[in-house]
């Protein structure tokens, strides 16, 4: 099947206008150590904005002829793009927001590779070194703004949600926007787009200029969750763990909408961090919310947390059903507590340095069949460490569902086997089965074949 494509030549506008010869060489290097593959994949994902694809492998196969190269000229660089999805253009000209996102991708890939990965000053084997790297990537992207009071709400939730759930996420975003709160999401469609769209209207009504709509992604997931057009600051972190850390370091509160395995991963990540003894006194507003139709969904999430992590974890969040204004009021009050807490301890408003993140939440997890099989899913460990391992299990399911590498692993070796104690595996199996039944694993209209088997 042929898809309409466009060739074009574009220049940066105020973002990364010059590159060194070494940077260009590595970006165009197609060998295993080069950056071309990751640059091409992220660029294609950005150009695919608005499409209904949520499968990284399918996207790369659909536009197999897509190519992007860098031309160096005396006045700066240009991107020579061939076979780009026509959806990124209007009357032959690239949409401005997509143009900005494309150069944000280039900026972050270059910075991470040349200034972080290959830089001995960042010790990525130690928690402090990883946090320092996350800080520098965000600072380089110019999203850390010390002059602002805390007002950034991170919104998590699924890319595959129905119209009722999407409209509700938009209403919550609107209520947050009216209270002059900014939005940060995983940058994709669904529950990541709705709050931004709603907040955008709320900000317009309050005549606010400079509202922030931060989108934080990573190379493995961006092809399945192309940045939505509301995002005005796109950041590409090197991996899922640094992406998650970026959310909790820059955000002042988190609002969780319904979703699938990826949303469960995010919930387990933040709960695992908040369960660490060093974070016991730290205020961090965490609200689960959705329309009346998802009451049972959050009851099941709440039940899963109770069965696996216990009541201490349940005490760290509130569930508010079908009341956008109550969500916004609760979040605004929680962020006020965050401001007072950080002010009393002289911590930065723009980056949560005081939050203790255990290395188990920072170390990149590669979801191979062996690693998935060997996860420690039992209660004979500290609760926050169990949360870390449960997070990895759900991360593997996400990889097998939508990430190119994960999908190829499943095609090659069959389903992941997830082993653990029956008292954990039973609730996990029931939760995943409910996600499948409610079409939360893939976009509507696509048949879902599980990439995992639960072994009790």
């Amino acid at each position: 099947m042929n898809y309409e494509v466009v060739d074009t030549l574009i220049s940066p506008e105020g973002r990364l206008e010059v590159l060194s010869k070494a940077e260009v060489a590595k970006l165009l290097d197609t060998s295993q150590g080069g950056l071309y593959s990751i640059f091409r994949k992220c660029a294609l994902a950005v150009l695919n904005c608005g499409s209904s694809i949520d499968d990284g492998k399918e996207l790369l196969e659909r536009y197999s002829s897509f190519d992007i190269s860098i031309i160096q000229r005396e006045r700066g660089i240009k991107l020579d793009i061939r076979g780009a999805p026509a959806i990124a253009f209007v009357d032959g000209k690239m949409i401005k927001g997509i143009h900005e996102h494309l150069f944000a991708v280039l900026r972050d890939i270059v910075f991470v590779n040349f200034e972080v990965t290959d830089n001995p000053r960042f010790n990525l084997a130690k928690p402090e070194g990883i946090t320092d790297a996350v800080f520098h990537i965000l600072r380089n992207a110019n999203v850390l703004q010390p002059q602002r009071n805390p007002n950034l709400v991170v919104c998590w939730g699924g890319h595959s949600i129905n119209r009722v759930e999407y409209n509700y996420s938009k209403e919550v975003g609107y209520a947050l926007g009216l209270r002059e709160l900014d939005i940060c999401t995983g940058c994709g469609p669904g529950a990541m787009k709705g709050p931004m769209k709603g907040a955008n209207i709320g900000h317009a009504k309050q005549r606010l200029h400079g509202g922030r709509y931060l989108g934080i992604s990573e190379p493995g997931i961006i092809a399945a969750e192309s940045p939505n057009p509301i995002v005005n600051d796109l950041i590409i972190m090197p991996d899922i763990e640094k992406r998650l850390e970026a959310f909790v370091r820059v955000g002042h509160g988190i609002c969780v909408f319904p979703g699938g395995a990826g949303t469960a991963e995010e919930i387990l990540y933040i709960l695992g961090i908040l369960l660490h003894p060093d974070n016991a006194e730290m205020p961090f507003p965490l609200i689960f919310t959705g329309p009346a139709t998802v009451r049972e969904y959050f009851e099941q999430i709440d039940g899963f947390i109770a069965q696996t992590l216990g009541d201490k974890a349940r005490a760290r969040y509130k569930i508010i059903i079908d009341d956008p204004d109550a969500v916004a009021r609760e979040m605004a009050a929680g962020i006020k507590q965050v401001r007072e807490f950080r002010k009393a301890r002289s911590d930065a408003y723009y980056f949560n340095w005081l939050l203790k993140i255990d290395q188990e939440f920072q170390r990149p997890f590669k979801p191979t069949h062996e690693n998935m099989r060997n996860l420690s899913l039992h209660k004979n460990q500290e609760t926050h460490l169990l949360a870390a391992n449960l997070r990895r299990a759900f991360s593997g399911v996400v990889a097998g569902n939508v990430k190119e590498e994960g999908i190829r692993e499943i095609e090659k070796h069959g389903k992941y086997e997830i082993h653990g104690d029956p008292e954990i595996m039973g609730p996990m199996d029931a939760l995943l089965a409910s996600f499948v039944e409610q079409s939360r694993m893939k976009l509507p209209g696509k048949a879902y074949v599980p990439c995992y088997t639960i072994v009790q």
Side-chain angles (χ1 to χ4, degrees):
M1 191 171 180
N2 292 322
Y3 296 92
E4 193 178 348
V5 296
V6 173
D7 297 340
T8 190
L9 198 66
I10 61 168
S11 303
E13 292 179 11
R15 291 175 187 239
L16 204 70
E17 294 177 344
V18 292
L19 290 171
S20 71
K21 287 186 177 181
E23 287 168 337
V24 172
K26 197 154 187 183
L27 281 163
L28 300 183
D29 183 358
T30 57
S31 70
Q32 200 167 0
L35 293 177
Y36 178 76
S37 175
I38 190 172
F39 178 42
R40 176 178 179 267
K41 180 165 65 174
C42 292
L44 179 56
V46 164
L47 291 162
N48 195 49
C49 173
S51 165
S52 59
I53 295 180
D54 68 343
D55 181 323
K57 178 172 171 280
E58 182 187 340
L59 176 64
L60 291 167
E61 288 173 350
R62 178 178 292 188
Y63 297 100
S64 57
S65 63
F66 172 72
D67 184 59
I68 184 165
S69 57
I70 299 164
I71 299 172
Q72 273 194 313
R73 295 187 172 161
E74 285 182 11
R75 293 191 301 271
I77 63 168
K78 282 185 179 287
L79 294 183
D80 186 8
I81 300 169
R82 307 281 169 173
I87 197 171
F89 299 83
V90 174
D91 298 332
K93 189 172 182 181
M94 187 177 291
I95 295 168
K96 191 163 186 178
I98 293 175
H99 182 285
E100 287 179 2
H101 290 170
L102 203 53
F103 281 95
V105 164
L106 182 60
R107 174 203 68 210
D108 291 340
I109 288 175
V110 167
F111 182 79
V112 167
N113 188 265
F114 286 88
E115 302 297 331
V116 177
T117 308
D118 291 345
N119 191 339
R121 66 168 288 197
F122 294 107
N123 185 351
L124 299 179
K126 290 195 171 180
E128 301 80 14
I130 293 170
T131 297
D132 201 29
V134 169
F135 170 83
H136 278 81
I137 294 166
L138 293 169
R139 188 177 70 175
N140 183 64
N142 199 31
V143 297
L144 302 179
Q145 300 182 5
Q147 70 276 16
R148 285 181 183 251
N149 275 323
N151 77 331
L152 189 63
V153 181
V154 173
C155 293
W156 284 339
H159 72 292
S160 178
I161 58 174
N162 61 40
R163 177 53 62 175
V164 172
E165 293 168 10
Y166 174 75
N167 286 341
Y168 180 82
S169 74
K170 201 159 60 172
E171 288 171 22
V172 171
Y174 173 68
L176 293 169
L178 285 176
R179 288 162 177 82
E180 303 186 12
L181 297 171
D182 290 333
I183 306 293
C184 173
T185 77
C187 90
M192 292 167 272
K193 179 182 176 183
M196 288 186 167
K197 203 166 185 179
N200 190 257
I201 297 167
H203 289 162
K205 280 196 172 183
Q206 293 286 24
R207 299 297 186 262
L208 285 177
H209 301 287
R212 293 192 297 165
Y213 314 104
L214 268 63
I216 304 177
S217 193
E218 55 99 6
I221 202 75
I222 193 171
E225 297 177 355
S226 294
N228 73 68
I230 314 294
V231 173
N232 59 10
D233 271 308
L234 176 66
I235 306 105
I236 311 296
M237 303 302 291
D239 51 58
I240 187 68
E241 287 76 14
K242 292 179 186 62
R243 179 197 191 198
L244 289 167
E245 180 164 352
F247 281 130
V248 300
R249 295 285 185 192
V250 299
H252 303 109
I254 296 176
C255 190
V256 182
F257 297 96
T263 304
E265 175 186 5
E266 290 162 341
I267 289 171
L268 289 161
Y269 179 85
I270 185 58
L271 287 179
I273 288 169
L274 295 178
L275 285 169
H276 193 286
D278 290 4
N279 297 324
E281 303 303 318
M282 181 171 289
F284 203 115
L286 176 60
I287 299 171
F288 300 171
T289 190
T293 52
V294 301
R295 189 181 301 275
E296 192 178 329
Y297 168 87
F298 279 117
E299 285 174 357
Q300 191 157 14
I301 292 279
D302 187 46
F304 173 75
I305 292 166
Q307 290 171 292
T308 55
L309 304 180
D311 287 339
K312 206 171 178 181
R314 294 178 70 217
R316 292 304 310 231
Y317 58 83
K318 291 186 179 178
I319 299 175
I320 300 175
I321 300 297
D322 206 27
D323 195 340
D325 281 323
V327 172
R329 284 195 300 270
E330 185 73 32
M331 185 58 70
I335 289 177
K336 188 178 179 184
Q337 284 186 310
V338 169
R339 183 181 184 276
E340 290 166 359
F341 180 86
R342 296 203 195 173
K343 188 176 182 181
R345 287 158 181 78
S346 300
D347 192 27
Y349 290 161
Y350 55 87
F351 193 84
N352 193 345
W353 289 107
L354 288 177
L355 190 70
K356 170 70 177 177
I357 301 182
D358 193 283
Q359 196 166 5
E360 292 300 306
F361 290 91
Q362 293 180 309
R363 195 169 63 243
F365 174 69
K366 192 173 172 108
T368 63
H369 282 70
E370 183 182 3
N371 287 343
M372 289 291 283
R373 196 181 301 114
N374 293 330
L375 285 171
S376 297
L377 300 176
H378 56 78
K379 291 196 175 180
N380 189 25
Q381 59 187 314
E382 291 183 78
T383 311
H384 70 278
L385 297 179
L386 172 58
N389 283 309
L390 282 168
R391 197 282 302 175
R392 292 177 178 126
F394 281 97
S395 189
V397 173
V398 173
N401 283 350
V402 299
K403 294 186 181 181
E404 182 208 359
E405 273 186 29
I407 292 168
R408 294 192 190 280
E409 277 279 306
I410 300 301
E411 287 177 349
K412 192 174 177 182
H413 301 293
K415 296 179 180 181
Y416 291 129
E417 286 184 4
I418 306 174
H419 295 250
D421 289 351
E423 57 191 359
I424 293 173
M425 292 295 94
M428 184 176 182
D429 196 14
L431 187 64
L432 285 167
S434 73
F435 292 163
V436 175
E437 188 182 339
Q438 296 166 31
S439 300
R440 296 192 185 280
M441 295 292 211
K442 300 288 283 183
L443 287 170
K446 294 193 174 185
Y448 177 68
V449 179
C451 64
Y452 62 89
T453 300
I454 300 292
V455 183
Q456 295 189 30

